[in-house]
Every structure is written in structure tokens, then in C-alpha cells.
Amino acid sequence: MKFSRLWIPLLVLSATAAADGAFAAEPQVDIKTNLGTFRVELFASRVPKTVENFLQYVKDGHYNGTIFHRVIDNFMIQGGGFDSNFAQKPTRAPIQNEAEKGIRAGLKNDIGTLAMARTSNPNSATAQFFVNTQNNDFLNNGDTRGDGYGYAVFGKVISGMDVINTIGKVRTASGGPFNKDVPKDAVVIESVTLIEAKK
């Protein structure tokens, strides 16, 4: 039985890159929750396989109705894998871990970034992701598991960080198959929508 994909233990666009427009054409999505909406920029030019995988789940409607099932104050919020009844949604095959490639491109598990959740197998990420609610440098390499791999950052919250902070502070308890860190009141991802580029 599969449970959470991030056990111990979710990209950063530099000010320079933002200023010079080097990554201005990166795709964006709106993630609407029952506690508010936040917008994410995805780093397709730097971790293409990870972003392609995420966007396919978005297009398939996979995330609609899933919950943030794991919330740890001053660490991260994780979701995208279970519905409100804690039934795990089916996924496609896992993807290759692009954490090392991302690190070389300047993507780190800093506050407000999204990364892929995974099991002890470095190349096991499917649909679940997390948002870092503080700088989590130890997720950038394999020190957490000793496997030599980190957690692949693929996006960054560019608006609605107040929503992330609200989710990060909800009360938690046991729930479903988990003995802790589950929001007492469900935090539901109502929809994830790709923002169409302006002509």
C-alpha cells in the first residue's frame, strides 16, 4: 500500500533572471484551494521533464479535489495524491529525478518553491508535490536519505503566498492512514488551471 511520497522530507528564479526576462515565457498555473488561490511559475526551461509531468496531471484534472494531506509548520505543505476520503488517486509511471540538474540551474528548496515528493527511490516521483514554507537546504542533496539525490524543485509561488502561509499554520492531527500532520479541517485543491499566455 502506498502512502505519502515524502517521508522525511517543495525553486527559485533569481532577481537577475527576472529582471532580464531570461525566463519570462515560463508557464504559470493557478492553484485554487478552499482557503484561497495562489499562482505558480513553472521552470520548464530548467527542469523540463518535471514540469511536463506536472502539467500533464494538470491537463488531466488529476489535482482537482485532492487535498493537502501533510502540513508541517515551518517546513512544508504536501498534496496532490489523495482525495478528501484519503483514497490515493492513480498515477502514471514515475519520472526521472531532476534535482541535480535543477541545483545546477539555481533551483533550491527555498521558501515559496514547489518540489516533487518521492519515496526512498530517488526516481519515484509521480503527482505529489510540496511547497516549502521555509528555506530547506537539506532537501537540495541526498543527505536526508543518504541516496545522493535531492528533491527536484520545479516552480515558485509568485502570488498568493499568504494562502500558503495560512495553510502552513492549520491545526493538524491524525487522519486517514497517517498518524500525524493531517489538517483537522480538510484543505482541498479545488482546481489547477494553466494560465494562457497573453498574445
Side-chain angles (χ1 to χ4, degrees):
M1 178 178 288
K2 293 192 225 173
F3 294 138
S4 175
R5 301 195 70 82
L6 173 69
W7 293 98
I8 301 177
L10 160 216
L11 312 164
V12 176
L13 178 62
S14 71
T16 302
D20 67 16
F23 301 103
E26 299 286 40
Q28 297 179 359
V29 296
D30 277 346
I31 300 179
K32 180 183 178 184
T33 79
N34 59 329
L35 296 181
T37 300
F38 58 96
R39 181 165 291 188
V40 174
E41 182 172 70
L42 305 171
F43 301 136
S45 62
R46 290 183 268 184
V47 283
K49 293 179 182 177
T50 306
V51 171
E52 179 183 17
N53 174 71
F54 178 79
L55 285 177
Q56 188 59 58
Y57 281 112
V58 169
K59 293 171 184 175
D60 292 343
H62 172 92
Y63 294 116
N64 302 345
T66 60
I67 59 173
F68 281 100
H69 65 275
R70 188 164 181 246
V71 172
I72 302 177
D73 190 18
N74 293 318
F75 178 31
M76 61 92 217
I77 63 174
Q78 179 180 342
F82 297 86
D83 67 21
S84 57
N85 295 315
F86 296 98
Q88 191 162 18
K89 298 190 75 171
T91 61
R92 300 188 308 277
I95 60 171
Q96 178 182 351
N97 189 327
E98 290 187 297
E100 184 178 351
K101 181 177 185 178
I103 290 292
R104 290 198 306 268
L107 305 181
K108 298 181 180 179
N109 283 274
D110 290 341
I111 187 168
T113 62
L114 282 72
M116 295 304 297
R118 63 177 176 86
T119 67
S120 57
N121 178 348
N123 298 303
S124 60
T126 54
Q128 288 189 41
F129 64 92
F130 60 98
V131 184
N132 289 291
T133 56
Q134 72 169 13
N135 294 337
N136 292 314
D137 292 342
F138 68 103
L139 297 181
N140 295 328
N141 53 46
D143 291 348
T144 52
R145 295 185 185 275
D147 58 19
Y149 289 83
Y151 290 80
V153 170
F154 67 95
K156 181 177 178 63
V157 176
I158 57 173
S159 67
M161 194 63 196
D162 57 323
V163 177
I164 300 298
N165 292 333
T166 296
I167 296 172
K169 296 294 183 182
V170 299
R171 293 183 304 157
T172 60
S174 61
F178 308 108
N179 60 13
K180 63 178 181 176
D181 303 325
V182 178
K184 295 187 76 170
D185 297 315
V187 180
V188 181
I189 297 174
E190 297 177 349
S191 64
V192 182
T193 307
L194 179 63
I195 305 304
E196 296 297 332
K198 293 181 180 179
K199 302 295 183 183

